[in-house]
Amino acid sequence: MKKEMDQMMCLDIYLSSLTEQENKDITVAIKPAKKGAMAPLLSWDLHIDNFHNLAVQSKQETAVRAFEKIAKKLQWENDISSLFENQEFEALVITDLHKKIVWVSDGFSEMTGYTKKFALDKTPAFLQGAETTAEVKSRINAKIKKDEPFSDIIVNYRKDNTSYKCEIKIIPLYTEKTTHYLALERQVV
């Protein structure tokens, strides 16, 4: 093994494959690059990106599992496993027929800055502000009345009053008839 940093190509992948003791043993042997030498390490960013992607995926899986428990309890007849196929989201929000929020995922708090407790029993309108147009609100309300899945983009506001464009995908949840709505939400540019 090359132990000089300016000769290494993928240190993080190599180190992550070692046991804890092997890692300790090899770390003391790694020498810094010679002064002025450029370390050709190509995989540092790959590891960080992968770690971030794994963290996001884990949060989404946790949110989906929590949603599945609620779905089972309320006996929704939707094909729950297909609701999340090929879907990108940061937050999940469940509202009742009166648009009152009954549950949000942890991602909701991360995206908006509002706690779960604060969001409960409010309508999503509390996220709206000056840049949220009446046209978009009207269009979303009309789509909800059709009782069919849809997506749209709305300008929402975080707790710190910064605005963001939020893609929402609304899915009616039903037993014999619609009882709730699920929103898959994510910030878009």
Side-chain angles (χ1 to χ4, degrees):
M1 177 184 126
K2 297 175 184 173
K3 295 182 179 161
E4 293 83 24
M5 292 282 278
D6 57 351
Q7 299 297 312
M8 294 180 188
M9 296 299 286
C10 48
L11 179 66
D12 58 338
I13 293 173
Y14 172 74
L15 292 178
S16 67
S17 70
L18 301 177
T19 66
E20 188 174 336
Q21 186 56 48
E22 290 171 326
N23 197 309
K24 286 179 183 177
D25 293 343
I26 196 70
T27 301
V28 296
I30 296 174
K31 298 174 185 156
K34 294 174 185 129
K35 189 173 183 174
M38 185 74 137
L41 291 172
L42 300 175
S43 60
W44 290 104
D45 289 339
L46 174 71
H47 173 70
I48 296 300
D49 286 345
N50 186 49
F51 178 77
H52 173 74
N53 292 340
L54 289 173
V56 168
Q57 181 181 2
S58 176
K59 288 178 186 179
Q60 288 178 339
E61 288 171 359
T62 299
V64 169
R65 280 194 306 274
F67 174 81
E68 288 171 339
K69 287 180 183 178
I70 296 167
K72 185 175 181 178
K73 180 180 176 184
L74 296 177
Q75 300 178 337
W76 290 321
E77 295 177 10
N78 301 68
D79 181 3
I80 301 302
S81 61
S82 71
L83 293 180
F84 302 99
E85 286 179 3
N86 302 315
Q87 297 293 334
E88 294 182 46
F89 64 89
E90 293 176 53
L92 299 178
V93 179
I94 300 174
T95 60
D96 64 16
L97 294 178
H98 305 289
K99 300 180 190 171
K100 297 281 186 184
I101 296 172
V102 297
W103 178 83
V104 297
S105 67
D106 290 338
F108 176 85
S109 297
E110 292 172 20
M111 187 169 67
T112 67
Y114 290 101
T115 65
K116 291 178 166 190
K117 186 176 179 179
F118 182 85
L120 293 179
D121 293 324
K122 290 181 177 48
T123 68
F126 83 91
L127 296 167
Q128 299 165 8
E131 294 178 46
T132 311
T133 66
E135 176 188 333
V136 171
K137 292 190 280 188
S138 177
R139 184 174 64 227
I140 289 172
N141 285 328
K143 289 178 181 181
I144 287 173
K145 288 179 183 174
K146 290 182 181 180
D147 211 26
E148 297 174 358
F150 71 90
S151 63
D152 212 322
I153 295 177
I154 189 167
V155 176
N156 278 343
Y157 287 78
R158 294 181 188 86
K159 186 176 181 180
D160 67 5
N161 287 325
T162 57
S163 65
Y164 65 100
K165 289 184 180 179
C166 185
E167 178 185 53
I168 56 172
K169 294 180 182 179
I170 306 292
I171 302 161
L173 302 169
Y174 57 88
T175 52
E176 292 176 14
K177 59 181 183 174
T178 299
T179 62
H180 293 81
Y181 294 95
L182 169 65
L184 286 78
E185 301 184 0
R186 70 183 181 116
Q187 181 176 337
V188 293
V189 181

